[in-house]
Amino acid sequence: MTQLPQQWVRRRIVNALRALGYASVVVLIQACSEVPAALDPLAEYQTRVANTLGKTPLNYQPVMVPTLPAPRELDQDIPRVSLSLLDAWRIEACPLGQLVAQRNSALGRLQSGLTRYHHDRALTHALAACQQQLAASDQALAARLQQAYQAKRATLSKQRQQALGVDPALRHALHFSDRSLANLDEDRFASAMAALETVVYFVAQEPDSAPLPIERLEQALQRLHQSAYLPELWRTLWEQKHYLQQLTPVVANIADDAGCFSKGRPARAEVLHTVFLKYFIQSAQAQLAISVAQGERAAEQLAQLQQLIVHPGYQNYVAQLRSLAADVKHLSRAHVQPWQQFFTACGYQPGA
């Protein structure tokens, strides 16, 4: 048998090891990429706990997020209210005439969602004002305007539901992003919340009252549509909630696993003590506290919004968003309980 040159053999071995190294790096990167950004502190913490106990670290199992009902499911059958062409000419002296002209324009017919609802509310308000203005000079026209006002006012509740269901900016703000927040940012959150508060305030107004200036509503809707912060916050809280649930078995018997019920304090208990304080309390729990605080503030607006929604599926969806922060807070506290037993069994002072 022909003997292969040693240099050639060494080169093949080096190449094989290099390929194995590259493959290991790829596998490592793929494994790391499976953990969403919002779970990095929790993942670091649970990996250290598992390694200390000689266990295999837990792989995060994604859970499918809820979805908003489709716009077609929230569509409303709204009766059309109109004025005759002759009456439309005769109300040009009223602000109502300009609003009717705007609605009949090409841009007016393209209005949808909350901007259309704003225009419908303005029309209703202007109908009442014009009827009063013409009551003395043209009683017949005033009577027709009064009928139109009553008919228009009767449609506003359905128009509000239509707007809540189909407005693209609001739907964007309420949907779950496909990624979570690597960094929780108070400025971005405050900007998105200010816009949501303006929108909720507008929707919560009495339907036939004078609406907010259209410029304020449009600015708020634009900010909501351009910001990804709230959708990413919902995803962050959702992932934290389900990861904390998945971590329950990891710490369920932590005092026993650490050997705290045997004589003396094992070395692994000392390591676990450090891991808990450094990687859970200082890192993971600190992040959870911020996301929960933001989620709770958002839940206040979501509660108002939920009260305005009629569709059961839509109500349930918003209720799930509302509960995320409370769920994460509850699960975070529950996660600490086995560690409190660990502190007692191992003879550590609370907070030490």
Side-chain angles (χ1 to χ4, degrees):
M1 179 181 294
T2 304
Q3 187 174 5
L4 296 174
Q6 291 185 354
Q7 185 176 7
W8 184 89
V9 173
R10 285 198 299 270
R11 188 183 305 119
R12 291 297 299 272
I13 293 173
V14 169
N15 289 340
L17 291 174
R18 183 178 295 140
L20 179 61
Y22 289 155
S24 300
V25 170
V26 170
V27 170
L28 179 61
I29 292 174
Q30 288 176 343
C32 292
S33 68
E34 293 175 358
V35 179
L39 300 182
D40 282 344
L42 281 171
E44 172 78 1
Y45 150 74
Q46 75 94 8
T47 298
R48 289 179 179 274
V49 170
N51 290 341
T52 303
L53 296 175
K55 298 181 178 180
T56 303
L58 181 76
N59 289 323
Y60 172 64
Q61 300 298 322
V63 178
M64 186 176 296
V65 299
T67 57
L68 270 165
R72 64 179 178 274
E73 297 178 41
L74 305 172
D75 201 21
Q76 299 286 317
D77 183 16
I78 302 173
R80 179 181 173 84
V81 179
S82 60
L83 294 172
S84 69
L85 185 59
L86 180 60
D87 284 347
W89 287 339
R90 295 168 69 182
I91 62 171
E92 288 184 352
C94 298
L96 176 62
Q98 183 179 0
L99 290 172
V100 171
Q102 289 175 358
R103 169 54 58 86
N104 292 329
S105 68
L107 289 177
R109 286 192 288 270
L110 290 176
Q111 284 182 327
S112 64
L114 289 168
T115 54
R116 185 177 183 87
Y117 177 54
H118 182 284
H119 200 271
D120 285 320
R121 284 181 55 188
L123 276 170
T124 306
H125 191 69
L127 270 167
C130 191
Q131 182 269 332
Q132 293 177 0
Q133 180 179 332
L134 298 175
S137 60
D138 192 333
Q139 293 183 354
L141 176 57
R144 290 195 294 274
L145 292 178
Q146 176 66 13
Q147 290 178 349
Y149 164 74
Q150 294 292 348
K152 188 69 177 173
R153 187 176 184 276
T155 68
L156 288 180
S157 61
K158 285 190 173 183
Q159 287 172 334
R160 175 159 65 181
Q161 294 305 310
Q162 175 91 358
L164 286 169
V166 306
D167 186 86
L170 183 59
R171 290 183 65 86
H172 170 77
L174 296 180
H175 89 289
F176 281 87
S177 173
D178 58 358
R179 64 179 183 180
S180 52
L181 289 162
N183 297 295
L184 292 154
D185 189 303
E186 187 61 30
D187 290 338
R188 290 180 61 203
F189 172 71
S191 176
M193 279 304 301
L196 182 61
E197 288 168 4
T198 298
V199 170
V200 172
Y201 175 78
F202 164 73
V203 179
Q205 285 182 299
E206 288 298 321
D208 58 348
S209 64
L212 287 174
I214 185 64
E215 295 78 14
R216 282 188 60 190
L217 177 62
E218 288 177 338
Q219 288 170 5
L221 290 172
Q222 183 178 20
R223 268 190 291 164
L224 277 186
H225 205 282
Q226 291 175 346
S227 174
Y229 196 85
L230 291 179
E232 290 175 2
L233 178 62
W234 315 139
R235 169 70 73 163
T236 297
L237 289 165
W238 179 265
E239 289 171 348
Q240 289 171 339
K241 168 184 174 179
H242 289 283
Y243 199 32
L244 283 168
Q245 288 176 334
Q246 292 169 27
L247 290 183
T248 298
V250 175
V251 299
N253 300 304
I254 193 69
D256 195 18
D257 292 342
C260 292
F261 295 111
S262 59
K263 188 175 181 180
R265 182 186 291 169
R268 63 177 175 274
E270 296 285 359
V271 177
L272 288 170
H273 176 253
T274 300
V275 167
F276 176 71
L277 294 180
K278 182 176 180 180
Y279 293 96
F280 185 77
I281 297 297
Q282 295 181 19
S283 182
Q285 192 175 61
Q287 182 212 40
L288 291 169
I290 297 173
S291 62
V292 165
Q294 292 186 356
E296 287 178 335
R297 285 158 61 188
E300 296 174 7
Q301 296 301 314
L302 293 175
Q304 294 186 51
L305 194 62
Q306 185 184 356
Q307 292 177 351
L308 300 169
I309 294 170
V310 173
H311 189 276
Y314 198 0
Q315 276 189 338
N316 181 62
Y317 177 86
V318 175
Q320 290 184 77
L321 293 185
R322 278 185 59 200
S323 69
L324 285 173
D327 291 344
V328 172
K329 177 187 281 189
H330 170 75
L331 288 165
S332 178
R333 289 175 175 174
H335 186 83
V336 172
Q337 289 178 357
W339 283 104
Q340 292 173 337
Q341 297 170 0
F342 164 86
F343 269 60
T344 300
C346 287
Y348 290 108
Q349 293 296 320

